[in-house]
Amino acid sequence: MKFKPANNIQDLQYFGEFGGVNPSISDSSTYTFLSAKTMFDTFEGNADGCYLYSRHTTPSNLYLGEALAAMEGTETANVAASGMGAIAPVLMQLCNAGEHIVSSRTIYGGTYAFLKNFLPKLNIQTSFVDITKLDMVEAAITKNTKVLYCETISNPLLEVADISGLSKLAKKYNLQLVVDNTFSPMLISPARLGADVVVHSLTKFINGSSDTMGGVICGTQDFIDALRSVHDGACMLLGSSLDSLRASSILKNMRTLHIRMKQHSKNATYLAQKFEALGLKTVYPGLSSHPSHVLYKSMLNTEYGYGGMLTIDVGSLEKANALMELMQERNLGYLAVSLGFYKTLFSAPGTSTSSEISEEEQKAMGLSNGLIRFSIGLDNDIARTFEMMHACMKELQVIL
Ligand code: PLP
C-alpha cells in the first residue's frame, strides 16, 4: 500500500479539553501529582500519561510529535527548540567518546560545523564523503563508526542520498542511519526507505511562516525514551526543549503542509524549466538533467512534486549579489537565509549558510561563488514572477 503522509496527519483526531477543534495549549512549565509515588514513577519513566516538567515534555509537544511521527511513519517523535536542537542531541546520544561518524560532505553549514569543530572536543570524529558514492561511504566506515549521517536532498547543492542503499550499508555494519529531511517533508519518507532516525528543522517548510524555530527527532519509542531519560537523555539534559505555545502554532501550520508543498513544487518546477531553457546552470531534482533525477523520483511519495528548492549559478559572487538585490527591490522575494516561506527567499550559500565550510572545501564539493539558492514561494502567478526575474537577469547581463 502507498504511504500517505498527509492522510496520516489528517487522520489523527484530538480535541481540546473543552471540545475545541484544536488541542488546548498546556500553559505550564510544571505539573502536579496527586500522589508522591506517581511523581517518583514518572521520574523513572514508568508513569504513562503523566507530565512532569516541560523540559521533559508537554501535552502540546506530544501532539506535535505525534503528527510528525505520523508524517514520517515512525513509532514516535520528540520535538525540540530548533533543528540544531534536534540534530546535536541525536548525535551525542548515539556516539560515545572515541567513536566515529560518516557524514555527507554537503550538509547544512551548522551541522557541518557541529560535526567538524564541536564533536572532536568530545573525541567524536567525522569523515566527510560524497554521499552519492556508496563505495566511498563504505570505504570510510571504521570499526569505531556508529552513525551514517546525510540530508535527503542536501543543503545547498541539492545532492540526493540513496536512502535504501545507505540503509543496507548501515545494517551491514550495525550503524544507525540518521537522515535530515528538512528540504523534503512529505515528498520523501526516509524511515520508510530504511532510515533509523529522521530529523527536521521545523523552522523551514513544516512551519512555513518563518516566525518560529523548531526541530524534531522521529524514531523508535526506545530511542525517543532514551533521549528523554532524566538520567542520561541528551534532549532532557541539554535542554533544547520547545515551548508549548510554539508547538501548538507549528501543529496548526502543519495542517496545510501538503497544500503548500504542492504549490512550492509546482512553482519551482516552472522556474527551473524556464531558467534551464535560458541557458542558466540550474540544479533542481525535478529536472531530467539532475544527476540523481531517476533515483529521486523512485523515492518520492507521489503527488507532492519535487520540492521547492533550486539553485542557479550566475558565474560570480558580484553577479549573484547584484541579482539578489535587484530581485528584492522588485519584490520578487527576500534576500534572506532559511526556506519554506510564502515568499521566495534567496541567498548565496558560499557567503551565508555554508560559510562555516572553508573556501577550499567549498571548491572541492563544487560549491561555487556564483551559486544562488532559491526557496521558491507560493506565488499565485509564477509566470509573472518569471517574467520579472528574467527582466532582472537581462538588465544585469546575467544572461545575454
Ligand atoms: N538542517 C537543514 C537542512 C537546515 O537547512 C537547517 C537550517 O538552516 C538546519 C538543519 C538547522 O535548523 P535550525 O536553524 O532550525 O536549527
Side-chain angles (χ1 to χ4, degrees), residues 179-357:
V179 179
D180 180 339
N181 201 28
T182 300
F183 276 26
S184 43
M186 290 212 170
L187 278 51
I188 292 180
S189 307
R192 308 288 297 176
L193 301 167
D196 299 289
V197 180
V198 181
V199 292
H200 280 275
S201 165
L202 305 179
T203 317
K204 314 291 160 44
F205 286 105
I206 291 179
N207 183 56
S209 49
S210 292
D211 57 356
T212 184
M213 308 211 67
V216 71
I217 302 148
C218 301
T220 61
Q221 188 69 54
D222 282 352
F223 184 58
I224 300 300
D225 287 348
L227 285 167
R228 283 191 192 137
S229 162
V230 295
H231 300 293
D232 58 2
C235 282
M236 179 67 183
L237 299 178
L238 295 174
S240 168
S241 307
L242 186 61
D243 182 76
S244 287
L245 285 170
R246 285 311 195 181
S248 99
S249 72
I250 296 170
L251 179 62
K252 281 179 271 187
N253 284 359
M254 255 188 96
R255 306 287 184 220
T256 56
L257 178 61
H258 58 298
I259 303 168
R260 289 186 278 113
M261 289 316 294
K262 288 177 196 177
Q263 188 69 13
H264 284 301
S265 293
K266 185 173 154 222
N267 287 349
T269 301
Y270 183 92
L271 288 181
Q273 285 169 349
K274 290 284 186 186
F275 289 157
E276 190 168 57
L278 290 178
L280 283 166
K281 198 169 152 208
T282 308
V283 176
Y284 181 63
L287 293 174
S288 53
S289 57
H290 189 288
S292 300
H293 173 69
V294 175
L295 167 68
Y296 188 73
K297 209 170 160 184
S298 74
M299 298 198 294
L300 282 179
N301 294 317
T302 44
E303 79 187 309
Y304 308 107
Y306 290 90
M309 303 301 297
L310 67 85
T311 68
I312 57 173
D313 193 336
V314 295
S316 70
L317 183 60
E318 292 67 38
K319 273 191 178 168
N321 288 344
L323 179 60
M324 293 190 294
E325 285 167 14
L326 187 59
M327 287 192 297
Q328 176 163 260
E329 203 180 299
R330 307 253 163 103
N331 200 14
L332 294 168
Y334 295 141
L335 173 46
V337 297
S338 202
L339 39 127
F341 198 38
Y342 81 99
K343 278 267 203 196
T344 292
L345 302 179
F346 30 77
S347 55
T351 49
S352 60
T353 48
S354 297
S355 55
E356 295 90 340
I357 302 171

Side-chain angles (χ1 to χ4, degrees), residues 25-29 54-55 58 60-61 64 79-82 212-214 239-250:
I25 302 170
S26 65
D27 194 21
S28 293
S29 60
S54 284
R55 177 153 44 78
T58 72
S60 301
N61 288 12
L64 176 61
V79 294
S82 69
T212 184
M213 308 211 67
S240 168
S241 307
L242 186 61
D243 182 76
S244 287
L245 285 170
R246 285 311 195 181
S248 99
S249 72
I250 296 170

